[in-house]
Amino acid sequence: MKTIEASDLAALSMGSVFLATGGGGDPWLSVVLAEEALAKHGPVPLIDPDKLKNDDVVVAVGGVGAPSVSLEMLPSLTEPMNAVRAFEIQTDINVSALISFEIGGANSLMPLQAAAMLGYPVIDGDGMGRALPEAQMMTFAIHGIAPTPALAMDFAGNTRLFQNLDSTSYEIQLRQWTELHGGMVTTVEHPMSRNTLKQAMVPGSLSFALEIGQHLLDHQGHVEALLEQLRASFQSSIYGRFVVFGSGQVQRVERRVEGGFDVGRIALSPLEEKKRGLPFELFVKNEFIQLNQADRVLATVPDLIVALDLESGEPLNAERIAYGQRLVLLGIGAPPHYRTDAALQVVSPACFGLKAPYRPL
Amino acid sequence: MKRIGIDVGGTHTDAVLMNGTELVEGVKVPSSDQVQVSVMAALDALAETTKQTLREVQYITIGTTQFTNAVVQRRHLTPVIAVRLGKPTGAGLPPGIRWPESLQRCAVKEWLHLGGGRQLSGECLSPWTSNDETQLLSALNRHPDSPVTIASPFSILNAEDEENVAQFIWSVDPQRIITLSSEFGELGLIERENASILNAALRPYAAKVIAGFEIALKERSVGCPLLISQNDGTLLHADQVTRFPALTFSSGPTNSIRGAAAVTSLQDAVVIDIGGTTTDIGVLRAGSPRQSHRVVEIETVRTNFRMPDIVALGLGGGTMVHPDGSFGPDSVGFELTSKAKIFGGSTLTLTDIAVAAGRMSLGDPSRVAGLDKALINKVEAHMLFLVEKHVRHMSGEHKELPVIVVGGGAHLIQGLAQPSWIFLPNPSSGLVNAVGASIAEVSGHAQDIVNLNSEPREAALERLTNLAKDHITSKGGDVQRMNIIDIQETQLPYVGDDWFKFQVRAKSPLLIQSIKA
């Protein structure tokens, strides 16, 4: 049986930051908390849905809010566990296993933190295969699975139980509650049975994040070698084409918190001599949602846009990007479940307020 | 125009007398345990060598690794009372979490998790109660000599909570040393808190060190201003260093890179500084050390300091060579002249290898004449491999950058390295840190709260850039050669959607040091 140990968490968090495409929150704090939990309570079993019994229930656990909030209003060790317990008490549902709603970023680690403290296993999979800002963008939602009953818990331990008929109204109400309760909360949602889960989840994403993360750790400081390894891993994965757009130096960072999201724009001047007059522009809504070069649209959601530090190869979150930094900009085709008509209803560029049409990489 | 640059190192103290950009003279004296003794000895040696009085000197700049060394060696630190506001957020993440245990013990006396703090919206996070006051007073009484740090969520947007707690402490103990996390203001509570703790723990020692420098200058009747170089190569007045010693952590490597630039007149290069115990490799870009933009770790402690991107290797003149041909990181350091084989000692060091290979003549070569040739070759090959590997890593995509080698240990690889590498001649090679200290720059900054509805972004930035220029001019900087080093725009959500805090930071060389046309 595969387990996740405390020693796996460094690679997992690296890989999850990569797949978070600029969002997902700072993983360092989540790694420390998950390490504390696993060190105290032992490794967490990583299972496929086939290991579940017919009437077992799996819930998705994670943080919701603007990621920069956690850099100041620090998370606590027991909150995810307390949220799952509160969910079980208030809904009268016995939870058998946990799953991540998005493998991108700190939310890949929170289920492990809760699972260790509760003694539950974690499913090798997630609801996105990346990170995205809103609940209805999860594969669970796109497959029509009800997000509720769901429970949110804030930093002070206050809870709110949600019963919504559809993901969109759940997302709106949850977001409002989050904004009024510090800007970052823990939620327990999408209760699913084994068969539903198998249909709706992105399979193997936790293992894949570990694989990508190991490459990132192994090739720190050697960006060329790193890109080769990543290209190979993505080639034999569920993701699409792997593209290197080039490198640039950050000239301007504009950011604000709007409607509960980290919104912003980053301007970069290309480092390649011949591209000098063609600035890059990276648009952010928690994640990187569009990359332009001069007037040309290079990539948009749902395809993945990733920024690596040019010297170290480390993937960077939007909130860590600063004036003067030099970055490598990558694009990776979204997995097939995001290219369906049903999916594009909720993850096309228009859903993020962008005018560009979706042209798959 | 005359100025003196002094580099106070762990092993040696160097001093240079500069006239404009010309290096008039330089001296190197052994460092003492007491900084004032080191500085006086260096000033005396300089005065004697140049046969000049020091009265005409317009300013003295000191670069020192005292504070870095204190942290690395876990010496001269006074453990602090670390106050964290915003309970219950951060339960399970106490101050000092993931610090090396030995450092945590020396730097943190006690942790208090108290109420207060802000949410993103500006609202109170949790109440500050009389229970919090009681806990605080109790800790202050139990640890009368401990400095205090205060870290509060979102204090970068609103430092009131931290300031109020500080005022409360000073109302009962006016002499208490306090560092607020908002004084190291960037997003990231843990990094700010870590920087504050390291800073506060150094403050009692900093007071002694700065007093020592001032005594030395007074004893030698030197009346000019005393300036200390900080992390980014700009200058702080001595009393500012007493409050912010942590800002000098990387002034050593910064000065060595800038000194190498000044002596070679290169603007872009890789700089290798080989010392007694370590080799530091950094990069010069457009005349300044390339800054590290990752979370800067001091002894693996995460901080938000802006520092040069340096890789440090355990490779120096005193590095110990093991029987299997591997070496370091252990080193005999300044005890080279008693412990190395060429000096009659019994420790095989990299200097011994260099002498045996005929690269240096030092000590008694006959004592290493019998060394196995295969061992010498193996060690030298590995030294070269290690240095070249990191030079390539640091060069990044700029593979054609010139490479400058400086430092007392440069001989170790001279003759081994590629012919294109630039080895500075003695005595310049060993004096680059002091030269770098002497040509330090000044920084200016300006900040304001801006409403984008009434003032467009470009106009606000221009206005603040002009204020930063004025600030630099007032410090004697040359605005014609001013560089913007940082622009930050932070939204203030509790004020309203269009309110931002804008900060502009810039630096420039001092006006009096014009580069030869």
Short mmCIF file of all heavy atoms in Angstrom, two decimals, chain A residues 64-96:
data_model
loop_
_atom_site.label_atom_id
_atom_site.label_comp_id
_atom_site.label_asym_id
_atom_site.label_seq_id
_atom_site.Cartn_x
_atom_site.Cartn_y
_atom_site.Cartn_z
N VAL A 64 -10.22 28.06 1.13
CA VAL A 64 -10.86 28.90 0.12
C VAL A 64 -10.61 30.35 0.50
O VAL A 64 -10.81 30.74 1.64
CB VAL A 64 -12.38 28.63 0.07
CG1 VAL A 64 -13.09 29.64 -0.81
CG2 VAL A 64 -12.64 27.22 -0.40
N GLY A 65 -10.16 31.16 -0.46
CA GLY A 65 -9.93 32.58 -0.17
C GLY A 65 -8.75 33.10 -0.96
O GLY A 65 -8.20 32.41 -1.80
N ALA A 66 -8.36 34.32 -0.69
CA ALA A 66 -7.21 34.91 -1.38
C ALA A 66 -5.93 34.37 -0.75
O ALA A 66 -5.71 34.54 0.44
CB ALA A 66 -7.26 36.42 -1.25
N PRO A 67 -5.08 33.73 -1.54
CA PRO A 67 -3.90 33.06 -0.97
C PRO A 67 -2.99 33.99 -0.16
O PRO A 67 -2.41 33.54 0.84
CB PRO A 67 -3.16 32.54 -2.20
CG PRO A 67 -4.19 32.40 -3.26
CD PRO A 67 -5.19 33.47 -2.99
N SER A 68 -2.88 35.24 -0.53
CA SER A 68 -1.95 36.12 0.20
C SER A 68 -2.38 36.32 1.64
O SER A 68 -1.56 36.66 2.50
CB SER A 68 -1.82 37.48 -0.50
OG SER A 68 -3.08 38.08 -0.61
N VAL A 69 -3.66 36.07 1.92
CA VAL A 69 -4.14 36.23 3.29
C VAL A 69 -3.40 35.30 4.25
O VAL A 69 -3.05 35.69 5.37
CB VAL A 69 -5.66 35.99 3.37
CG1 VAL A 69 -6.14 35.90 4.81
CG2 VAL A 69 -6.39 37.12 2.65
N SER A 70 -3.13 34.06 3.80
CA SER A 70 -2.45 33.09 4.69
C SER A 70 -1.03 33.47 5.02
O SER A 70 -0.44 32.92 5.94
CB SER A 70 -2.39 31.70 4.07
OG SER A 70 -3.61 31.36 3.51
N LEU A 71 -0.45 34.39 4.23
CA LEU A 71 0.92 34.82 4.54
C LEU A 71 0.94 35.68 5.79
O LEU A 71 1.98 35.87 6.42
CB LEU A 71 1.51 35.60 3.36
CG LEU A 71 1.77 34.82 2.07
CD1 LEU A 71 2.30 35.75 1.00
CD2 LEU A 71 2.78 33.71 2.33
N GLU A 72 -0.20 36.26 6.13
CA GLU A 72 -0.29 37.15 7.29
C GLU A 72 -1.16 36.56 8.40
O GLU A 72 -0.78 36.54 9.56
CB GLU A 72 -0.86 38.51 6.86
CG GLU A 72 0.08 39.32 5.99
CD GLU A 72 1.28 39.83 6.76
OE1 GLU A 72 1.13 40.25 7.92
OE2 GLU A 72 2.40 39.80 6.20
N MET A 73 -2.35 36.10 8.01
CA MET A 73 -3.25 35.48 8.98
C MET A 73 -2.94 34.00 8.92
O MET A 73 -3.48 33.27 8.10
CB MET A 73 -4.70 35.76 8.60
CG MET A 73 -5.65 35.58 9.75
SD MET A 73 -7.33 36.11 9.36
CE MET A 73 -7.92 34.69 8.44
N LEU A 74 -2.01 33.55 9.77
CA LEU A 74 -1.43 32.23 9.64
C LEU A 74 -2.46 31.12 9.90
O LEU A 74 -3.29 31.24 10.79
CB LEU A 74 -0.26 32.07 10.62
CG LEU A 74 0.88 33.08 10.48
CD1 LEU A 74 1.92 32.87 11.57
CD2 LEU A 74 1.53 32.98 9.10
N PRO A 75 -2.37 30.02 9.14
CA PRO A 75 -3.26 28.89 9.37
C PRO A 75 -2.92 28.19 10.69
O PRO A 75 -1.85 28.41 11.24
CB PRO A 75 -2.98 27.97 8.18
CG PRO A 75 -1.63 28.34 7.69
CD PRO A 75 -1.41 29.78 8.05
N SER A 76 -3.83 27.36 11.16
CA SER A 76 -3.54 26.63 12.40
C SER A 76 -3.55 25.13 12.15
O SER A 76 -4.17 24.64 11.20
CB SER A 76 -4.53 27.00 13.50
OG SER A 76 -5.73 26.30 13.31
N LEU A 77 -2.85 24.41 13.03
CA LEU A 77 -2.63 22.98 12.85
C LEU A 77 -3.93 22.18 12.86
O LEU A 77 -4.11 21.24 12.09
CB LEU A 77 -1.71 22.48 13.98
CG LEU A 77 -1.24 21.04 13.91
CD1 LEU A 77 -0.49 20.76 12.63
CD2 LEU A 77 -0.34 20.74 15.11
N THR A 78 -4.85 22.55 13.72
CA THR A 78 -6.04 21.72 13.94
C THR A 78 -7.25 22.10 13.11
O THR A 78 -8.25 21.38 13.12
CB THR A 78 -6.45 21.80 15.43
OG1 THR A 78 -6.53 23.18 15.79
CG2 THR A 78 -5.43 21.09 16.31
N GLU A 79 -7.20 23.22 12.41
CA GLU A 79 -8.42 23.69 11.72
C GLU A 79 -8.99 22.69 10.71
O GLU A 79 -10.19 22.43 10.72
CB GLU A 79 -8.19 25.06 11.08
CG GLU A 79 -9.48 25.69 10.57
CD GLU A 79 -9.26 27.11 10.05
OE1 GLU A 79 -8.81 27.96 10.84
OE2 GLU A 79 -9.54 27.35 8.86
N PRO A 80 -8.15 22.08 9.81
CA PRO A 80 -8.74 21.13 8.86
C PRO A 80 -9.41 19.94 9.54
O PRO A 80 -10.49 19.50 9.15
CB PRO A 80 -7.54 20.69 8.01
CG PRO A 80 -6.54 21.77 8.16
CD PRO A 80 -6.72 22.29 9.56
N MET A 81 -8.77 19.40 10.58
CA MET A 81 -9.35 18.27 11.29
C MET A 81 -10.67 18.70 11.94
O MET A 81 -11.69 18.00 11.84
CB MET A 81 -8.38 17.80 12.38
CG MET A 81 -9.02 16.82 13.36
SD MET A 81 -7.92 16.38 14.73
CE MET A 81 -7.99 17.85 15.73
N ASN A 82 -10.66 19.87 12.58
CA ASN A 82 -11.87 20.36 13.25
C ASN A 82 -12.99 20.59 12.24
O ASN A 82 -14.16 20.34 12.55
CB ASN A 82 -11.59 21.68 13.99
CG ASN A 82 -10.69 21.46 15.19
OD1 ASN A 82 -10.56 20.34 15.68
ND2 ASN A 82 -10.06 22.52 15.66
N ALA A 83 -12.64 21.03 11.05
CA ALA A 83 -13.66 21.28 10.03
C ALA A 83 -14.32 19.96 9.60
O ALA A 83 -15.55 19.88 9.46
CB ALA A 83 -13.05 21.99 8.83
N VAL A 84 -13.51 18.90 9.39
CA VAL A 84 -14.08 17.61 9.00
C VAL A 84 -14.98 17.07 10.11
O VAL A 84 -16.08 16.59 9.88
CB VAL A 84 -12.97 16.58 8.66
CG1 VAL A 84 -13.57 15.20 8.39
CG2 VAL A 84 -12.17 17.05 7.45
N ARG A 85 -14.53 17.18 11.36
CA ARG A 85 -15.33 16.72 12.50
C ARG A 85 -16.64 17.49 12.58
O ARG A 85 -17.70 16.89 12.78
CB ARG A 85 -14.56 16.91 13.81
CG ARG A 85 -13.43 15.92 14.01
CD ARG A 85 -13.58 15.15 15.34
NE ARG A 85 -12.58 14.09 15.44
CZ ARG A 85 -11.39 14.28 16.00
NH1 ARG A 85 -11.05 15.46 16.50
NH2 ARG A 85 -10.53 13.26 16.04
N ALA A 86 -16.56 18.81 12.41
CA ALA A 86 -17.78 19.62 12.47
C ALA A 86 -18.74 19.21 11.35
O ALA A 86 -19.95 19.12 11.54
CB ALA A 86 -17.42 21.10 12.35
N PHE A 87 -18.18 18.92 10.16
CA PHE A 87 -19.00 18.45 9.03
C PHE A 87 -19.72 17.16 9.41
O PHE A 87 -20.94 17.01 9.20
CB PHE A 87 -18.11 18.22 7.80
CG PHE A 87 -18.81 17.60 6.61
CD1 PHE A 87 -19.42 18.40 5.66
CD2 PHE A 87 -18.87 16.21 6.46
CE1 PHE A 87 -20.06 17.83 4.55
CE2 PHE A 87 -19.51 15.64 5.37
CZ PHE A 87 -20.12 16.45 4.42
N GLU A 88 -18.96 16.21 9.96
CA GLU A 88 -19.56 14.91 10.32
C GLU A 88 -20.69 15.08 11.33
O GLU A 88 -21.75 14.47 11.22
CB GLU A 88 -18.49 13.96 10.86
CG GLU A 88 -17.54 13.44 9.79
CD GLU A 88 -16.40 12.60 10.36
OE1 GLU A 88 -15.85 12.98 11.41
OE2 GLU A 88 -16.07 11.58 9.73
N ILE A 89 -20.45 15.94 12.33
CA ILE A 89 -21.45 16.16 13.38
C ILE A 89 -22.69 16.85 12.81
O ILE A 89 -23.82 16.43 13.04
CB ILE A 89 -20.85 16.99 14.53
CG1 ILE A 89 -19.82 16.16 15.28
CG2 ILE A 89 -21.95 17.48 15.48
CD1 ILE A 89 -18.97 16.94 16.25
N GLN A 90 -22.47 17.89 12.02
CA GLN A 90 -23.60 18.69 11.56
C GLN A 90 -24.39 18.03 10.42
O GLN A 90 -25.56 18.31 10.23
CB GLN A 90 -23.14 20.09 11.14
CG GLN A 90 -22.65 20.91 12.34
CD GLN A 90 -22.36 22.35 11.99
OE1 GLN A 90 -23.05 22.95 11.15
NE2 GLN A 90 -21.36 22.95 12.62
N THR A 91 -23.77 17.12 9.65
CA THR A 91 -24.49 16.47 8.55
C THR A 91 -24.86 15.03 8.88
O THR A 91 -25.59 14.38 8.13
CB THR A 91 -23.64 16.41 7.27
OG1 THR A 91 -22.46 15.62 7.54
CG2 THR A 91 -23.23 17.79 6.80
N ASP A 92 -24.29 14.52 9.94
CA ASP A 92 -24.50 13.12 10.34
C ASP A 92 -23.96 12.14 9.29
O ASP A 92 -24.47 11.02 9.15
CB ASP A 92 -26.00 12.88 10.56
CG ASP A 92 -26.21 11.86 11.68
OD1 ASP A 92 -25.26 11.64 12.47
OD2 ASP A 92 -27.31 11.29 11.75
N ILE A 93 -22.95 12.56 8.53
CA ILE A 93 -22.33 11.68 7.53
C ILE A 93 -20.99 11.19 8.07
O ILE A 93 -20.18 12.00 8.54
CB ILE A 93 -22.08 12.45 6.20
CG1 ILE A 93 -23.41 12.85 5.55
CG2 ILE A 93 -21.23 11.61 5.23
CD1 ILE A 93 -23.25 13.75 4.33
N ASN A 94 -20.73 9.87 8.00
CA ASN A 94 -19.42 9.36 8.39
C ASN A 94 -18.48 9.42 7.21
O ASN A 94 -18.76 8.84 6.16
CB ASN A 94 -19.52 7.90 8.86
CG ASN A 94 -20.06 7.81 10.26
OD1 ASN A 94 -19.89 8.72 11.06
ND2 ASN A 94 -20.74 6.72 10.56
N VAL A 95 -17.37 10.12 7.36
CA VAL A 95 -16.42 10.27 6.25
C VAL A 95 -15.41 9.12 6.29
O VAL A 95 -14.91 8.76 7.36
CB VAL A 95 -15.70 11.63 6.37
CG1 VAL A 95 -14.56 11.74 5.38
CG2 VAL A 95 -16.70 12.77 6.19
N SER A 96 -15.12 8.53 5.12
CA SER A 96 -14.15 7.42 5.07
C SER A 96 -12.79 7.83 4.53
O SER A 96 -11.78 7.24 4.88
CB SER A 96 -14.68 6.30 4.18
OG SER A 96 -15.93 5.87 4.64
#
